[in-house]
Amino acid sequence: LKKSGIDDKAITKFCEKLGVKKAISTIDELKNKILKNLPDGGKQFLDDFANASDDVLKKFVEKPELVDAWKKIRTANPEVSKNIGALEALNAPKGSRADPKTYLSSDYVAKHLDKFKDGASCLAPDNVITDYKKLGRSDGLFVMPQKEMDDLLKRTGGDISKIEKELGIPEGEWLRGDDIQIVRFDIRKENLNNLRMPRGNEIGANSEWIPGGFTPTGNSEAVINAVDWTNVIQTKISKIE
C-alpha cells in the first residue's frame, strides 16, 4: 500500500473502517481490488470516501466494479460519484436501475430540473421528423437546457463529431451517409411534460449514460414525455467553417 503513495494515516483509517487493520490477507485484497489502477494511487478514492460508513466501504471490497462506476461518474459529477446508490444504479443492468429519487436528494433533483425553467432542446437526425409521429420514444426523450444547447453549438461550431463526443453519442453515429442532416429541436417550458431525472433504463440511454443528470462531459440532461410536432421548433445545424 505504501508503494501506492498512500500515507500511513490514510491506510490505517481506511483499514480500521473495514475492520482489517491486522488482517494482512484482506489488506492485500484491498490493494488488488480497490487501489489497483485508481487515479493517484487511490488517494482521491480514499479522500472521497473518508467519511463513508463501514457498510458502504465493504461494498467496494465485495463488488470492485463499483470502483469503475466511481471513476466513470467522477469526471462529470464529483458530487454524485460519492453516492453509493448512484454507483449501484450505474452498475445495475439496463432495465433494472433504481428510480433516481431513491438515491438523490429532493433538493438535488429540484435544483437540477430548475435548469429547464426556460425550455429544453435536443438534437437528432432529420429522419425522425418523417419516421415518428412524435418527437421522442414511448419511454421519453432526453433533453438539455436551451442555454446549454446554445453554448454547446457555439463551443463545437456545429461540428457533428464534436457534438457526438459532448453528448455521449457513439462516434460516427450521426455521420453515416451524406444525406443525414442533424436538426435542433426546441421545446417551450409549457410543453415539458413529466420533466424528470434520467433513470438509465430508457431506450435512449446508451453505454455512456451516468446517473445524476449529466452527460460524461458534464452537460445537463433530463427526460420528458414525447412531444407533438406542433409543439416543437426545428432548426437545421450547419457546421461553422
Side-chain angles (χ1 to χ4, degrees):
L1 289 174
K2 290 182 179 179
K3 291 181 180 179
S4 298
I6 303 173
D7 60 56
D8 291 340
K9 290 184 178 180
I11 294 173
T12 300
K13 182 177 181 181
F14 192 64
C15 290
E16 285 179 341
K17 280 181 172 289
L18 290 166
V20 296
K21 185 177 180 181
K22 296 181 180 180
I24 302 301
S25 62
T26 308
I27 290 177
D28 288 338
E29 184 179 18
L30 286 175
K31 179 179 178 181
N32 293 328
K33 288 187 175 181
I34 294 180
L35 300 179
K36 185 179 180 180
N37 299 324
L38 285 184
D40 303 321
K43 292 180 180 179
Q44 187 63 66
F45 177 84
L46 291 177
D47 183 56
D48 281 359
F49 293 97
N51 297 315
S53 67
D54 293 348
D55 289 341
V56 167
L57 293 176
K58 287 177 181 177
K59 287 183 178 182
F60 289 105
V61 177
E62 297 167 356
K63 295 183 177 181
E65 58 268 27
L66 292 176
V67 179
D68 294 328
W70 167 77
K71 290 193 293 184
K72 186 172 183 178
I73 298 175
R74 198 176 195 288
T75 299
N77 196 333
E79 178 183 356
V80 171
S81 70
K82 302 175 187 179
N83 185 317
I84 189 65
L87 303 185
E88 290 176 325
L90 179 58
N91 190 53
K94 183 177 179 179
S96 63
R97 288 168 175 153
D99 187 330
K101 292 180 180 178
T102 64
Y103 57 82
L104 297 175
S105 70
S106 57
D107 286 344
Y108 179 97
V109 173
K111 182 178 179 180
H112 184 79
L113 297 183
D114 188 58
K115 297 177 183 179
F116 297 82
K117 62 184 178 182
D118 295 321
S121 304
C122 69
L123 299 174
D126 58 358
N127 67 288
V128 302
I129 302 173
T130 55
D131 293 352
Y132 298 93
K133 295 181 179 179
K134 292 184 176 182
L135 176 61
R137 299 182 175 90
S138 58
D139 65 345
L141 171 71
F142 277 86
V143 293
M144 65 191 302
Q146 287 189 3
K147 175 62 169 60
E148 290 193 28
M149 180 63 77
D150 293 339
D151 294 340
L152 169 66
L153 295 178
K154 290 179 181 178
R155 189 164 61 248
T156 60
D159 186 312
I160 301 303
S161 61
K162 293 180 180 179
I163 292 174
E164 287 179 333
K165 185 175 182 180
E166 286 264 1
L167 298 181
I169 304 296
E171 184 178 357
E173 182 74 18
W174 285 352
L175 293 172
R176 296 176 182 174
D178 297 331
D179 57 340
I180 293 180
Q181 174 70 56
I182 300 302
V183 179
R184 170 178 177 167
F185 300 100
D186 291 311
I187 305 103
R188 297 185 181 88
K189 59 182 179 180
E190 59 267 25
N191 296 314
L192 300 181
N193 296 320
N194 193 18
L195 179 67
R196 57 197 183 274
M197 300 295 296
R199 186 166 177 168
N201 294 327
E202 298 85 358
I203 296 174
N206 60 26
S207 60
E208 296 300 308
W209 176 83
I210 58 175
F214 289 90
T215 67
T217 53
N219 295 296
S220 302
E221 64 179 7
V223 173
I224 60 173
N225 290 351
V227 186
D228 290 330
W229 288 114
T230 54
N231 295 322
V232 176
I233 301 172
Q234 305 173 23
T235 308
K236 290 186 177 180
I237 301 301
S238 298
K239 182 177 179 180
I240 300 173
E241 300 294 346

